Amino acid sequence: MPQTIHRGIKALIDEANAEIETISAVDTIKLIGKDDVVIVDIRDPREIERDGKIPGAFSCTRGMLEFWIDPNSPYAKPIFQEDKKFIFHCAGGMRSALAAKTAQDMGLKPVAHMGGGFAAWRDAGGPIEKWEPKKKS
């Protein structure tokens, strides 16, 4: 028997976008290097290796987000305990909308997501650096 999905991905993304701040890639470019802003790249490491990354962005896969944000988690990352603005981005702006909503629902603030994701960043002429995974010795 097939599953019946009552709230699909479009509804979830629409709901997230209605509740979070969206910042354009052009405006995000202006925030690079600011001490009170953290750009969080939630793309998979294979995407980052293939396409490059925003200089200075903090990488956190979507699957670890909640665990890295929660200070009571054994996986908590100190960066998420800092008093900064967190701007999430993914490849096209869908996963980052969901990530920003989740972070906001958990109490992280202020949060936003970059509309259009890394594709919009690239199209707006934002700087991109090459990324290679660490070599295992």
Side-chain angles (χ1 to χ4, degrees), residues 22 33 39 57 80 97 117:
T22 300
I39 297 175
F80 287 115

Side-chain angles (χ1 to χ4, degrees), residues 93-104:
M94 293 187 285
R95 289 174 289 172
S96 59
L98 297 174
K101 170 82 165 65
T102 296
Q104 183 171 285

Side-chain angles (χ1 to χ4, degrees), residues 34-79:
K34 293 193 68 127
D35 289 338
D36 59 345
V37 173
V38 176
I39 297 175
V40 182
D41 188 338
I42 62 162
R43 294 176 300 152
D44 181 273
R46 290 176 297 264
E47 293 175 278
I48 298 170
E49 184 177 2
R50 181 188 67 218
D51 300 329
K53 66 180 287 231
I54 295 172
F58 177 75
S59 294
C60 172
T61 61
R62 179 66 187 91
M64 290 303 294
L65 182 66
E66 293 87 344
F67 297 96
W68 286 14
I69 289 174
D70 184 350
N72 295 314
S73 164
Y75 303 104
K77 295 291 184 187
I79 195 164

Side-chain angles (χ1 to χ4, degrees), residues 58-136:
F58 177 75
S59 294
C60 172
T61 61
R62 179 66 187 91
M64 290 303 294
L65 182 66
E66 293 87 344
F67 297 96
W68 286 14
I69 289 174
D70 184 350
N72 295 314
S73 164
Y75 303 104
K77 295 291 184 187
I79 195 164
F80 287 115
Q81 311 314 311
E82 296 178 11
D83 186 21
K84 298 188 178 202
K85 180 172 188 146
F86 297 89
I87 302 172
F88 294 86
H89 87 84
C90 61
M94 293 187 285
R95 289 174 289 172
S96 59
L98 297 174
K101 170 82 165 65
T102 296
Q104 183 171 285
D105 287 350
M106 290 180 73
L108 192 68
K109 60 184 178 184
V111 301
H113 97 108
M114 183 172 67
F118 192 76
W121 176 272
R122 185 181 53 240
D123 292 348
I128 297 171
E129 66 182 19
K130 185 164 179 47
W131 181 84
E132 293 184 18
K134 294 177 182 166
K135 304 283 186 214
K136 294 183 181 177

